[in-house]
């Protein structure tokens, strides 16, 4: 009824959304979500065709879940794109969050694979040239300091213990509220740091040691609460609420992480820097790690290491997220093997930066069927290798490789890779995976539409135009006589 009342111009979707809508109208994109829903029992969920289109709009326009649902409600073209009836209810933002977390990495990995398979089936997935590069996907954490982690950990312990007491668990186990004490000392550290003297540094260390002692006292009491609460839940059996079990598990996890923070702080005060591979930088995101990538503005970033492999059309053919800072070289072979499995053939040429420069990496890629590898090796090279790296073919591919920096910059600027708003390694993989899904959907839909477009009249080539206009133009009349000088 509403479509018959509205003018035709209001029912037309933008060209980009029309292309993506046609691309996603394929049952293959719904199969990754089928194992997570029972066909007959349970509450009814939203259609997956609506969920996929809503997630595309979220990452395409960098919207939050609540803002996304509000904007779709007020837009006729977006409602038509998301397959929401005009005047009908838009899915609630909490439903989108639950589906995103419930399906996890398995669904998004299969979804991106189905998207690349569709591109390969339509013969728009080029593998003539591939380039790889790594970057850091920052976690949703502030700059971690020992005093800051101690203060937040003590405050969170007090809040969780109060919640367990309110649920009727371990009520007789008393815990002193030390949140005001630890916050006051954290404020004192900020005041001393502004002085920037050697005496101030020593005072900061002394205050940090006091905070570590406060955290240890709170941990001792919280461990007693956790033991008594566990005993109460065991006695209650099936009568124990799910919230009580969840809060107890959260308290036990926080106790273990705060224990590690106290150990790190004691080690740092003793003059020994904790190893970055195991150092805890966040209480709510324990998988995030400090990573050095040599950036001048940000020498150390806190998050996860990501690898991006794209082709000459800008399609991300492969991506991966790793915890910590593993070496780049061994990861390239696995990425190229995955691209080969999707495309059905090995890439012709592969390039990457100096971080991948190793003879074994070149040998592994040649074993996969790659014909030419352009990666500058580390260290001093032989005369033969130097001539190879100075060859025109090698240098052209290396110059093309620099475009991977722009691709990563675009992913961070436009597709959600600037910061992961989901905790943990699994959450970061899901967050970045949906960003890649939205990015590739836009690219692949444009390539398919370009391929289907009928070819128009071919314009004459540039060389032909130069040949036609070369030389003086023909003259049908004699040139005018020049005036004689006075």
């Amino acid at each position: 009824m509403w479509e018959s009342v509205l003018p035709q111009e209001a029912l037309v979707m933008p060209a980009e959304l029309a292309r993506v809508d046609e691309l996603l109208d394929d049952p293959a994109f719904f199969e990754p979500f089928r194992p997570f829903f029972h066909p007959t029992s349970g509450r009814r969920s939203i259609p997956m065709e609506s969920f996929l289109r809503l997630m595309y709009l979220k990452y395409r326009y960098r919207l939050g879940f609540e803002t996304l649902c509000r904007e779709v409600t007020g837009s006729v073209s977006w409602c038509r794109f998301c397959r929401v009836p005009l005047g009908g209810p838009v899915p609630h933002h909490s439903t989108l969050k639950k589906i995103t977390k419930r399906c996890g990495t398995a669904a998004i990995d299969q979804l991106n694979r189905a998207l690349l398979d569709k591109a390969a089936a339509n013969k728009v997935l080029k593998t003539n040239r591939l380039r790889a590069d790594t970057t850091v996907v920052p976690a949703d954490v502030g700059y971690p300091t020992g005093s800051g982690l101690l203060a937040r950990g003590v405050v969170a312990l007090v809040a969780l213990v109060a919640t367990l007491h309110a649920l009727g668990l371990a009520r007789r186990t008393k815990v002193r509220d030390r949140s005001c004490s630890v916050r006051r000392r954290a404020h004192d550290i900020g005041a001393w740091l502004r002085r920037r003297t050697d005496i101030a540094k020593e005072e900061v260390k002394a205050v940090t040691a006091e905070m570590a002692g406060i955290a240890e006292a709170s941990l001792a009491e919280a461990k007693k609460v956790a033991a008594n609460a566990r005993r109460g839940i065991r006695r209650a059996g099936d009568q124990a609420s799910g919230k009580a079990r969840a809060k107890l598990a959260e308290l036990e996890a926080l106790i273990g992480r705060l224990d590690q923070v106290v150990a790190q702080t004691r080690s740092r005060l003793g003059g020994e820097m904790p190893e970055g591979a195991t150092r805890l930088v966040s209480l709510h995101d324990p998988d995030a790690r400090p990573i050095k990538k040599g950036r001048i503005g940000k020498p150390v970033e806190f998050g996860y290491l990501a690898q991006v492999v794209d082709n000459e059309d800008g399609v991300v053919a492969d991506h991966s997220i790793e915890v910590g800072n593993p070496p780049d070289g061994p990861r390239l072979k696995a990425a190229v093997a995955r691209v080969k499995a999707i495309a059905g053939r090995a890439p012709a040429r592969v390039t990457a930066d100096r971080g991948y420069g190793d003879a074994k990496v070149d040998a592994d890629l040649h074993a996969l069927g790659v014909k030419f590898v352009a990666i500058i090796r580390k260290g001093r090279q032989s005369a033969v290798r130097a001539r190879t790296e100075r060859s025109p073919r090698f240098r052209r591919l290396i110059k093309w490789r620099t475009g991977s920096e722009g691709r990563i910059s675009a992913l961070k600027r436009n597709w959600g890779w600037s910061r992961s708003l989901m905790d943990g390694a699994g959450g970061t993989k899901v967050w970045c995976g949906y960003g890649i899904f939205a990015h590739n959907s836009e690219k692949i839909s444009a390539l398919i539409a370009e391929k289907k477009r009928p070819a128009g009249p071919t314009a004459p080539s540039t060389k032909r135009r130069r040949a036609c206009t070369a030389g003086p133009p023909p003259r049908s009349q004699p040139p005018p006589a020049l005036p004689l000088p006075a």
Side-chain angles (χ1 to χ4, degrees):
M1 182 184 67
W2 286 113
E3 292 186 2
S4 63
V5 173
L6 291 175
Q8 187 63 30
E9 290 78 5
L11 301 177
V12 176
M13 289 187 293
E16 177 188 334
L17 294 186
R19 293 195 303 265
V20 176
D21 179 69
E22 183 180 357
L23 174 70
L24 298 182
D25 197 14
D26 189 341
F29 297 124
F30 311 146
E31 294 300 323
F33 299 93
R34 193 178 298 277
F36 300 94
F37 298 94
H38 197 276
T40 56
S41 64
R43 291 189 302 172
R44 296 187 63 181
S45 182
I46 63 175
M48 283 298 104
E49 57 183 5
S50 297
F51 174 76
L52 290 180
R53 288 164 172 79
L54 285 166
M55 294 301 289
Y56 172 81
L57 292 176
K58 169 182 168 53
Y59 281 87
R60 176 64 179 86
Y61 297 100
R62 303 295 303 277
L63 302 174
F65 283 105
E66 297 181 19
T67 307
L68 170 67
C69 296
R70 185 168 61 249
E71 293 295 327
V72 172
T73 303
S75 174
V76 176
S77 61
W78 280 21
C79 280
R80 288 177 60 83
F81 174 72
C82 297
R83 308 294 174 88
V84 176
L86 296 179
V90 176
H92 198 262
H93 60 84
S94 62
T95 304
L96 302 179
K97 295 177 185 177
K98 290 176 182 177
I99 294 177
T100 304
K101 293 181 179 180
R102 179 180 182 180
C103 298
T105 58
I108 187 59
D109 289 344
Q110 296 178 29
L111 181 63
N112 282 320
R113 175 62 186 268
L115 187 59
L116 292 174
D117 286 340
K118 187 174 182 65
N122 285 272
K123 298 182 180 180
V124 294
L125 183 62
K126 295 181 180 179
T127 57
N128 296 329
R129 295 185 294 179
L130 291 182
R131 57 192 176 192
D133 202 358
T134 57
T135 186
V136 177
V137 178
D140 192 22
V141 300
Y143 193 90
T145 60
S147 59
L149 291 175
L150 290 172
R152 289 192 290 270
V154 171
V155 172
L157 277 181
V158 173
L160 283 174
V161 168
T163 302
L164 288 176
H165 285 172
L167 292 173
L169 296 174
R171 284 186 174 180
R172 291 184 294 177
T173 307
K174 301 300 180 182
V175 175
R176 179 182 170 186
D177 187 353
R178 297 180 175 84
S179 56
C180 292
S181 177
V182 74
R183 282 172 174 165
R184 184 175 64 252
R185 284 169 172 78
H187 182 270
D188 292 342
I189 287 179
W192 278 104
L193 283 176
R194 284 193 291 270
R195 302 183 185 184
R196 299 181 181 277
T197 61
D198 293 337
I199 298 177
K201 293 180 182 179
E202 295 300 326
E203 187 65 26
V204 167
K205 290 183 179 179
V207 176
T208 305
E210 292 179 8
M211 295 179 67
I214 294 173
E216 289 173 342
S218 297
L219 279 170
E221 296 174 351
K223 289 177 182 178
K224 294 179 181 179
V225 171
N228 293 336
R230 176 64 64 186
R231 191 178 300 113
I233 288 179
R234 193 183 306 115
R235 285 198 300 266
D238 297 337
Q239 301 299 322
S241 65
K243 182 178 180 180
R245 297 177 186 274
K247 289 298 179 181
L248 177 58
E250 187 177 349
L251 177 63
E252 292 174 343
L254 180 60
I255 288 173
R257 294 169 190 172
L258 190 55
D259 259 333
Q260 185 176 350
V261 171
V262 171
Q264 290 175 181
T265 305
R266 294 294 188 189
S267 175
R268 185 70 181 90
L269 293 174
E272 182 180 354
M273 177 63 72
E275 294 184 3
T278 58
R279 180 184 168 192
L280 191 69
V281 298
S282 173
L283 293 173
H284 64 86
D285 194 346
D287 296 330
R289 294 289 181 267
I291 301 174
K292 293 183 179 181
K293 293 294 288 182
R295 295 179 60 183
I296 297 177
K298 294 182 179 180
V300 180
E301 298 178 84
F302 304 94
Y304 302 88
L305 188 70
Q307 177 179 261
V308 178
V309 179
D310 67 329
N311 64 3
E312 51 193 324
D313 287 329
V315 178
V316 178
D318 186 80
H319 75 283
S320 60
I321 307 293
E322 298 290 341
V323 176
N325 192 10
D328 295 342
R331 304 173 63 193
L332 186 56
K333 176 185 176 182
V336 173
R338 289 191 291 267
V339 175
K340 179 181 177 181
I342 294 172
R345 60 186 181 277
R349 291 166 287 176
V350 175
T351 181
D353 61 8
R354 194 185 297 267
Y356 294 87
D358 193 348
K360 187 177 185 305
V361 175
D362 290 11
D364 291 340
L365 295 181
H366 287 306
L368 288 173
V370 179
K371 297 179 181 179
F372 188 74
V373 179
I375 303 177
I376 299 177
R377 300 272 180 87
K378 304 174 185 177
R380 180 183 288 273
Q381 303 301 323
S382 62
V384 177
R385 180 64 187 179
R387 284 195 300 270
T388 301
E389 294 183 0
R390 287 196 299 267
S391 65
R393 184 184 183 188
F394 192 98
R395 297 181 68 177
R396 281 196 302 269
L397 205 55
I398 288 296
K399 289 181 179 179
W400 177 74
R401 184 212 66 80
T402 57
S404 60
E405 303 288 347
R407 180 63 48 205
I408 290 175
S409 178
L411 289 174
K412 291 192 173 186
R413 184 176 61 252
N414 299 329
W415 305 98
W417 278 44
S418 59
R419 181 178 292 266
S420 171
L421 298 184
M422 296 180 69
D423 295 337
T428 302
K429 290 178 181 179
V430 172
W431 181 269
C432 295
Y434 278 107
I436 294 295
F437 163 73
H439 172 272
N440 281 350
S441 297
E442 193 268 337
K443 292 287 184 181
I444 293 172
S445 63
L447 292 172
I448 294 177
E450 181 69 24
K451 185 178 179 181
K452 291 181 179 179
R453 186 177 303 165
T458 58
S461 64
T462 306
K463 294 182 179 179
R464 181 61 181 170
R465 287 199 297 270
R466 287 202 193 102
C468 292
T469 59
R475 293 172 176 171
S476 57
Q477 296 179 358
L482 297 176
L484 297 175

